[in-house]
Amino acid sequence: MSENSSAKPVVVAVDDARENLQLINGLLKDDYRIRMATSGAAALKSIRQEPHPDLILLDIVMEGMDGYEVCETLKADPELKDLPVIFLTSRSDVEDEAKGFSCGCVDYITKPISPSTLKARVATHVELKRARDVLKDNNAYLSAEVLRRTAEVQAVQDTTIM
């Protein structure tokens, strides 16, 4: 897990309009550590920093690398592929939403931002990510424990056969 469960979750907000970033920051800063980026390239740099974020709020329409490209880049990276991405965009066509989901986002929110919708969806996806992280950690521990105990049994069998 990127940090312990008592620390404030980290959210990376990406939008080329600073006023949108200020709005997101104002809505979420009490419950989350917000890192902001104004381009796709800056977003990837911020996302790769430790601690990795618990959630990414990503605009689609940006100069240079758009949100779809950022999302596809994240999903192709084994270390970052499980980070939840919510598109937060003015694009409201069904085709845009379908493209967002097909490239790997977990949710899609259209602008103008509804504060209650943003807060609820961010909280839900951060909680889901944290639960997945706990399960992943527990599975890794259990797998290691099975290997350790199997080795112990094998060692006992090897000494008994002799």
Side-chain angles (χ1 to χ4, degrees):
M1 190 152 71
S2 63
E3 47 187 282
N4 71 49
S5 57
S6 64
K8 275 187 177 182
V10 175
V11 173
V12 172
V14 186
D15 199 307
D16 58 352
R18 292 195 186 277
E19 59 274 8
N20 289 335
L21 291 174
Q22 290 170 344
L23 175 61
I24 292 165
N25 186 55
L27 292 170
L28 301 177
K29 69 181 177 183
D30 291 341
D31 299 311
Y32 306 94
R33 287 178 33 206
I34 309 298
R35 295 196 311 234
M36 295 181 270
T38 57
S39 70
L44 290 172
K45 183 176 180 183
S46 178
I47 291 163
R48 289 185 172 115
Q49 291 176 356
E50 292 289 340
H52 291 308
D54 294 285
L55 179 78
I56 301 152
L57 295 171
L58 183 58
D59 188 19
I60 292 174
V61 181
M62 297 182 288
E63 288 202 28
M65 181 182 281
D66 69 18
Y68 297 129
E69 292 172 284
V70 172
C71 190
E72 289 167 349
T73 300
L74 292 173
K75 298 308 173 182
D77 185 324
E79 190 176 340
L80 305 174
K81 68 182 174 75
D82 294 328
L83 294 176
V85 174
I86 297 176
F87 278 121
L88 188 57
T89 181
S90 58
R91 290 194 166 183
S92 58
D93 291 341
V94 173
E95 296 83 17
D96 292 318
E97 189 173 325
K99 184 174 180 180
F101 284 116
S102 71
C103 78
C105 79
V106 296
D107 211 337
Y108 197 96
I109 301 172
T110 56
K111 295 175 186 173
I113 297 168
S114 161
S116 59
T117 298
L118 179 65
K119 288 179 178 184
R121 291 189 182 172
V122 167
T124 296
H125 289 292
V126 165
E127 185 177 329
L128 286 170
K129 185 210 180 267
R130 293 239 164 144
R132 280 192 313 271
D133 287 348
V134 167
L135 288 172
K136 184 178 175 182
D137 290 347
N138 288 345
N139 285 341
Y141 169 78
L142 290 172
S143 293
E145 189 65 13
V146 166
L147 290 174
R148 184 184 70 77
R149 290 188 181 189
T150 301
E152 286 177 359
V153 169
Q154 186 63 47
V156 169
Q157 288 176 345
D158 290 348
T159 59
T160 306
I161 294 174
M162 297 175 123

